[in-house]
Structure formats: structure tokens, C-alpha cells
Amino acid sequence: MSSRYLVFTDLDGTLLDHETYDHGPASAALAELATRGIPVIPNTSKTIDEMLVWRTRLALDGPFIVENGSALVLPVDHPEWHVDAATGVRDERGFHVVTFGTTIATIKARLLELDVARRYDCDAFSQLDVAAIAAATGLDLAAATQAKARRFSEPLRWRDDDAALARLVVELAAAGLRAIRGGRFVHVIGDTDKGVALERTARLYAADSAGGVTTIALGDSPNDAEMLNAADISVVVRNPHASKLSLARDASLYTTAAGPGGWQEAFDVLFRSRIK
């Protein structure tokens, strides 16, 4: 029996345009994947509140991963596998939430213990008002409010240098936390990442797939590196705002177009050569 394909994708700068958040250029690939019954699973820094909006806009009805691998969110009526209360999952708004990382309360407490706000030149996301978040991200006020509703991570608006960030990474690791650099912020999360979330989600699908699963991951930023390294087929979507991603192994495909144009380009290739 043939393997089941699963598509894991970053959103901002990958499936969505970095500036406009438009996904239109990738519409044909999204439609073809839906026709073939191949799940598209966002694996993003966005919050649950943001993703409840975006899954509708993108016409997706399956699970999604939030806050840089911190939690898997899936519909309670997901047709392929069921997660019951024995797994420590709790039900809200028609979804199960499987936590891979830790809570925002724990993260804030440890950042306070480390005196990060005083010792480093940065602002914690939770300290910014909605208007400041909108200005920093290009989001409107409603979307900025959804972005502020973080439950598993604390983004830092980082102004300090790379050496300072390296020191912070070591300190956070000793406290059981991780710092992952995204497109606009440094995200402080629990002991997880997008690659861990991909692997754990793929195992859930594999348990109900006689032929196993083949994972495809698409990303454009350093916080996507673990996801790309963990995937069977990895696609680096061109990021005109950053240097080439450093991965543990070469990606399967590097796109020439950026954002959703690169996403479409990747599947134009994959539909011809890899996805049968």
C-alpha cells in the first residue's frame, strides 16, 4: 500500500505573502491538494485565535500547529484519528488541544526570574499594546488582538545583538525553555519546536495509515529549520529578507519565487516528480 502524504507549512512569508498576507498565488496548489485528499497542516507561530480565522480563509478543515510547535489543535470530529481524555488533551471551541511545550504563565515567570527585560534590549510581546503589535507586524487591530492572545509562547521584539541573543539562548535552555528566531520576533517557547510537532503529528496519522506517511514541509525562516530537517521532503521558499537557511541537510527543493508564488512553484514541481 502506498504512503500517505502530509503537507506541513509555515504561513507568514511561506504560504502567505510577507507584507500583504495574501495567499492567492498558491490557490491552485491548495485546490489540487484538497482534490487529492492530502492534508495541509499549518505549522506556524500564530495563535489559536489567529488560526481559527486563517483556516477558514485558506479553506482548510484539518488540524493545525500553533506557536512554533507548542501545541497541536484538531477538530473533535476529525475523521481519521481520535484523541481522548486519557492523553491529557482538553476540548475547547470544538477542538482538542495537545500541548507539546509549556504555558505562557511558566514562560513569563522564568523570563522574570532571569531579568530578561532589564538585561537585554528587547520588549516582550505581552507588554506591547495592540496598536504597537499592529505597527510591528502590519496587522490590523483585530488581527493584532488575536496575535496577542498567546498561550504557549512569548515573542520578544529583539533589538540587541547576536552575541546577546546567544547568551540568552544558553540561559533559557538551563531554564527549560527555547528561543527561536522568526521573521520579526524571537519566540520563547517550551522544550519543543516545529520539527517535534511535525513528528508527533505524523505519528498520529501513521497509526491509522497502513502504508505509513510521507511528510512534506515548506518554510522560509530560521524558525522553520527543525521542521524542514524533520520532513521527508523539505522545501525552502525563497525569503528575500534573509540569507539562505542553514539546515542539517540540503533541502529537497529551493524555490526561486518568494511567498505563495514559491509555494505554488514547489507543488508544480512536486506534482510532476514526487507526489503520485
Side-chain angles (χ1 to χ4, degrees):
M1 185 173 291
S2 61
S3 178
R4 174 83 186 277
Y5 288 100
L6 306 174
V7 174
F8 293 83
T9 183
D10 174 53
L11 292 184
D12 295 352
T14 300
L15 180 53
L16 306 179
D17 183 88
H18 183 78
E19 302 296 336
T20 67
Y21 298 100
D22 178 38
H23 70 280
S27 294
L30 285 169
E32 179 66 19
L33 288 163
T35 297
R36 297 188 186 208
I38 297 175
V40 175
I41 303 167
N43 195 354
T44 174
S45 62
K46 293 187 183 300
T47 65
I48 293 176
D49 287 17
E50 289 178 285
M51 281 307 306
L52 292 179
V53 174
W54 274 108
R55 71 194 298 270
T56 299
R57 290 179 181 171
L58 295 167
L60 303 176
D61 59 6
F64 53 90
I65 297 163
V66 297
E67 300 189 42
N68 284 303
S70 293
L72 168 68
V73 184
L74 59 140
V76 294
D77 58 353
H78 192 282
E80 297 186 75
W81 32 267
H82 176 67
V83 181
D84 60 31
T87 64
V89 177
R90 59 194 180 91
D91 182 355
E92 61 173 58
R93 288 183 287 184
F95 293 89
H96 287 302
V97 180
V98 185
T99 303
F100 301 144
T102 191
T103 66
I104 184 64
T106 296
I107 294 170
K108 286 180 179 179
R110 291 178 184 170
L111 290 175
L112 186 61
E113 290 168 3
L114 293 171
D115 202 11
V116 169
R118 185 186 65 81
R119 296 173 52 239
Y120 295 98
D121 187 9
C122 64
D123 296 318
F125 206 77
S126 60
Q127 296 174 323
L128 301 177
D129 62 24
V130 171
I133 292 171
T137 59
L139 299 170
D140 61 31
L141 292 178
T145 300
Q146 295 157 4
K148 189 175 172 65
R150 311 200 80 81
R151 292 174 45 187
F152 312 103
S153 65
E154 177 74 291
L156 304 176
R157 184 166 60 175
W158 191 257
R159 292 184 298 270
D160 221 321
D161 58 25
D162 289 345
L165 181 57
R167 292 195 300 274
L168 178 62
V169 167
V170 173
E171 293 175 358
L172 291 174
L177 301 177
R178 298 189 62 185
I180 298 178
R181 186 158 226 164
R184 295 178 173 90
F185 296 91
V186 172
H187 299 259
V188 181
I189 62 176
D191 189 17
T192 187
D193 56 48
K194 288 185 176 185
V196 169
L198 178 151
E199 290 172 340
R200 292 184 65 174
T201 303
R203 285 202 295 268
L204 290 172
Y205 274 97
D208 284 336
S209 178
V213 298
T214 297
T215 56
I216 302 170
L218 301 93
D220 75 307
S221 296
N223 67 332
D224 299 318
E226 290 86 356
M227 175 178 70
L228 295 167
N229 286 329
D232 298 308
I233 299 172
S234 56
V235 177
V236 174
V237 175
R238 187 174 74 86
N239 183 342
H241 307 287
S243 57
K244 184 177 177 180
L245 274 180
S246 176
L247 301 176
R249 56 185 172 84
D250 284 341
S252 307
L253 178 65
Y254 294 87
T255 72
T256 57
W263 211 90
Q264 180 68 47
E265 175 190 332
F267 281 102
D268 287 342
V269 173
L270 293 173
F271 286 140
R272 291 195 306 267
S273 62
R274 304 290 291 271
I275 300 176
K276 305 300 182 184

